[in-house]
Amino acid sequence: MGLQEKNYFLASGESLLCDQQERFLFSEVELEPLDVEISFDLPEVSNKSYRIAVLNNKGKHLSLKALDLRSALSQTDNEDEFSILSAAAQVVTWHASFKYCPRCATELIMDEADLAKVCPSCGHHQYPRLSPCIIVLVRKDDKCLLAHSSKFKSGRYSTLAGFIEAGESAEHAVEREVMEEVGIMVKNIEYVCSQSWPFPHSFMLGFMADYSGGDITPDGEEIISADWFGIDELPTIPPQFTISRQLIDRFIEER
């Protein structure tokens, strides 16, 4: 497939760009008057090819602005669009964050074959960063555990989540995070699905688990409040594009 047939994302710094109509995919022709620092391929999605062009400035011929990524993701129920938006955002963050070799401080250059940067001095390869995380919905009879985080808007509740630490399994991370955040034990941990989450480069592994013991005790730092909710008494929950909502919807379907 030729370059002229590919759709382009535009970026500046760590931000994806859009026009005044919130359009975030551009043609190769629209790139011609812009000052492009570098461009590279993104992973294919459903046999469609995409590229991302990082600009040295925001251009003189297009009225561009930073894309509100959360808003853009929340407005799509298309899995392919979510996937490519997430990929573009994570690659932009990686490109802006890794300019120099972490081993010898030489300026990195793009690898000719892979989506990677290589050090021309020591040969170190730097790939886009992914941070594995778990996210889990805990069940107790006909209710599920939802929590309000200090990072959430007022009234918003969601599932529990956290990063996987070096050397531990995803299942152990589920047990540890639930205990650390709300003080309860879980059992029957079951993997459900995964999702790339570009804030800034998380890879979410989604689980369901059953309550095993203990009393809910929010840690008071990450989790402000938490409780058991039946399907007829759910608080404000995350939008449908999120993996947390997928887990909640699965619980609702089971009931």
Side-chain angles (χ1 to χ4, degrees), residues 8 67 70-71 83 131 134 149 181 231 237 252:
Y8 279 80
L67 176 69
R70 287 184 184 272
S71 176
S83 177
S131 300
I134 60 87
S149 168
E181 294 189 350
I231 60 175
I237 55 178
I252 292 172

Side-chain angles (χ1 to χ4, degrees), residues 6-183:
K6 294 186 177 182
N7 291 317
Y8 279 80
F9 288 91
L10 301 181
S12 179
E14 294 191 33
S15 298
L16 295 178
L17 302 176
C18 63
D19 63 16
Q20 298 303 314
Q21 288 71 47
E22 308 296 328
R23 182 171 62 102
F24 51 77
L25 283 174
F26 300 86
S27 69
E28 185 179 22
V29 172
E30 291 175 295
L31 265 66
E32 292 179 356
L34 302 179
D35 184 8
V36 177
E37 171 195 334
I38 191 171
S39 65
F40 35 81
D41 288 311
L42 293 172
E44 286 194 358
V45 176
S46 296
N47 297 318
K48 293 183 180 179
S49 297
Y50 297 88
R51 285 180 68 84
I52 187 163
V54 180
L55 307 183
N56 284 318
N57 56 57
K58 293 189 177 182
K60 300 177 181 179
H61 302 280
L62 284 175
S63 180
L64 301 173
K65 61 181 182 179
L67 176 69
D68 184 337
L69 184 59
R70 287 184 184 272
S71 176
L73 291 173
S74 68
Q75 293 175 30
T76 179
D77 55 4
N78 183 297
E79 185 174 347
D80 287 348
E81 186 172 287
F82 181 98
S83 177
I84 195 61
L85 261 173
S86 178
Q90 292 186 64
V91 168
V92 167
T93 299
W94 163 72
H95 176 66
S97 301
F98 293 93
K99 298 289 188 181
Y100 300 94
C101 178
R103 288 183 177 174
C104 69
T106 302
E107 187 172 359
L108 297 169
I109 61 175
M110 291 301 300
D111 186 85
E112 294 182 359
D114 297 327
L115 181 55
K117 295 184 179 184
V118 62
C119 176
S121 178
C122 71
H124 172 72
H125 279 68
Q126 184 71 52
Y127 292 88
R129 182 178 178 182
L130 288 177
S131 300
C133 307
I134 60 87
I135 185 166
V136 57
L137 183 70
V138 182
R139 303 167 293 200
K140 181 182 180 184
D141 300 323
D142 61 347
K143 295 189 176 184
C144 65
L145 177 66
L146 298 175
H148 177 69
S149 168
S150 57
K151 301 176 182 178
F152 293 167
K153 294 180 180 179
S154 178
R156 169 70 62 84
Y157 279 71
S158 186
T159 51
L160 301 177
F163 290 101
I164 299 175
E165 296 183 350
E168 73 176 347
S169 67
E171 291 79 6
H172 183 268
V174 169
E175 296 176 336
R176 177 183 53 77
E177 283 290 343
V178 173
M179 175 57 70
E180 288 178 357
E181 294 189 350
V182 294

